[in-house]
Amino acid sequence: MESNRTGRRTVRRTAGAVAAAMQVNRHLSIPIVTTALALALAACGVSGTPQSVGAKSTTQGGGSGSSAEHTDDISVGVKPDAKAVKLLPAAVKSRGTLSVAMDLAYPPTTFMASDNKTPIGFNPDMSRLIAAKLGLKLQINNVKFDTIITGLQADRYDFTASTMGATKDRLKVLDMIDYVNSGTGVSVPYGNPQHLTTHTLCGHRVAVASGTTAELQWLPQLSKQDCTSKGKPAIKAVTLPGVNDALTQLVSKRIDAVMYDFIALEWAAAQQPKTFDVLKPLVATKPATIALKKDSPLTPAVKAAIQSIIDDPKYAEALGRWGFQDLGIKTAAMAVPQD
């Protein structure tokens, strides 16, 4: 989850379906990529909507862990939280619907099921739970990540659940509420043939997804800290549209490493064995947030709903369904800048 999916020019991301985890709106076409890997990195549906193309198992309410495709509605049976409902603006309560924006191209946090119509992942689960706690129906809007903030500002959506990190610039235009931990990591080809480490990337070609915190914050910071300040060549940033493109180029040896949301990278490594290794230590670990328009009248209600979820066994269930067991938080606090 970038961490990552956690800080962008205006936003953040994670890689492709059965093997990657979190962003891309185009077909993969590198011929040397095997069919299995191409599927793992996600394909686009006929409408151009990214989709998961074959998780290891598909479950309707059963199963656990990030290899299962949980298409059941986790919010079934969840009762509204009276304290949170009381904080709802009258107009929203009257409307009866809560609108969320997310880019459905980032397994395992936010993606499309293999039926190409059901949004699944940790973020859709959390969004459904937020709506349930507020006694509202949920409308999920599949929106390119880089347009989410402007959509919130224009009141096209009520909130976003896109594993977005809090930055000073974002906090100028958004209300941001912590709801899970996330971080940024580095993937290299399986076996790490160049024997790279997180802190020995100087002079190497490292791909980042456009608009992510990896591009805007962590790679420049790491390059300065480990390389240029010590007279070594800077890390060569290769900015690509999404993590699927980056992982594809990693397999084809056009780049040396990928810096991205570590959950997405670990998902990719788990779904496509002997293809990627994720380096340790991580580049950074920070809280991810639910975001609303700055000073939104909905913010108090959504914050109360998130805290109610955290205090509910459903939170642990949501984390466990996608392999995030160790990333839970205890307090739905208003975010502070992470840059």
Side-chain angles (χ1 to χ4, degrees):
M1 272 180 304
E2 202 186 346
S3 53
N4 274 280
R5 325 131 188 119
T6 298
R8 297 165 104 97
R9 183 175 320 161
T10 43
V11 189
R12 153 214 133 132
R13 297 177 149 133
T14 314
V18 170
M22 255 174 121
Q23 165 109 4
V24 154
N25 292 311
R26 63 190 61 208
H27 290 281
L28 300 171
S29 58
I30 305 300
I32 70 167
V33 179
T34 64
T35 301
L37 179 58
L39 290 177
L41 292 176
C44 293
V46 293
S47 64
T49 302
Q51 63 182 18
S52 168
V53 191
K56 288 184 178 179
S57 63
T58 300
T59 52
Q60 293 278 346
S64 63
S66 61
S67 64
E69 188 177 72
H70 300 280
T71 56
D72 59 304
D73 186 348
I74 193 172
S75 70
V76 171
V78 172
K79 303 297 183 184
D81 182 285
K83 293 180 180 179
V85 172
K86 189 175 181 179
L87 296 171
L88 276 174
V92 177
K93 188 180 295 186
S94 176
R95 186 206 319 164
T97 301
L98 200 60
S99 173
V100 62
M102 57 181 70
D103 192 337
L104 291 165
Y106 299 102
T109 58
T110 314
F111 62 120
M112 199 72 80
S114 54
D115 63 9
N116 200 29
K117 65 181 181 179
T118 306
I120 60 174
F122 180 70
N123 288 331
D125 276 0
M126 284 295 294
S127 298
R128 292 179 178 111
L129 289 171
I130 289 170
K133 289 290 187 178
L134 294 174
L136 301 171
K137 295 180 180 179
L138 182 70
Q139 176 186 331
I140 296 178
N141 301 277
N142 189 9
V143 181
K144 288 179 68 70
F145 189 84
D146 287 338
T147 66
I148 289 176
I149 290 179
T150 54
L152 291 172
Q153 291 177 296
D155 295 319
R156 288 194 289 270
Y157 322 109
D158 293 316
F159 73 102
T160 181
S162 49
T163 330
M164 188 182 290
T167 64
K168 292 176 183 177
D169 286 343
R170 287 177 179 171
L171 286 168
K172 291 176 182 177
V173 296
L174 298 174
D175 288 342
M176 307 186 83
I177 307 161
D178 295 341
Y179 74 117
V180 72
N181 281 318
S182 187
T184 300
V186 175
S187 267
V188 296
Y190 180 73
N192 193 8
Q194 297 189 69
H195 305 291
L196 299 176
T197 70
T198 303
H199 297 289
T200 59
L201 298 173
C202 305
H204 288 278
R205 302 161 298 174
V206 179
V208 289
S210 175
T212 63
T213 45
E215 178 201 16
L216 303 174
Q217 181 180 0
W218 301 122
L219 189 146
Q221 181 175 305
L222 199 66
S223 184
K224 180 179 180 180
Q225 171 189 307
D226 292 341
C227 309
T228 57
S229 66
K230 299 178 180 179
K232 299 178 182 179
I235 299 172
K236 298 176 182 177
V238 180
T239 301
L240 298 170
V243 71
N244 289 343
D245 302 84
L247 292 174
T248 301
Q249 291 203 20
L250 186 63
V251 171
S252 65
K253 300 181 180 178
R254 297 184 185 185
I255 56 174
D256 303 311
V258 174
M259 187 181 293
Y260 198 67
D261 179 89
F262 80 90
I263 291 176
L265 296 179
E266 289 185 344
W267 170 275
Q271 301 302 316
Q272 200 66 33
K274 298 186 177 181
T275 303
F276 311 110
D277 282 340
V278 182
L279 301 180
K280 301 292 174 64
L282 299 178
V283 177
T285 302
K286 303 289 182 181
T289 70
I290 296 289
L292 305 88
K293 180 179 178 179
K294 188 72 174 177
D295 298 324
S296 169
L298 254 175
T299 298
V302 170
K303 182 176 181 289
I306 295 171
Q307 187 61 58
S308 182
I309 293 165
I310 291 172
D311 296 337
D312 191 299
K314 283 290 183 177
Y315 185 57
E317 181 183 340
L319 292 166
R321 279 156 67 103
W322 306 105
F324 299 172
Q325 291 90 336
D326 299 325
L327 298 176
I329 62 173
K330 294 185 178 180
T331 303
M334 298 304 296
V336 297
Q338 298 297 333
D339 54 357

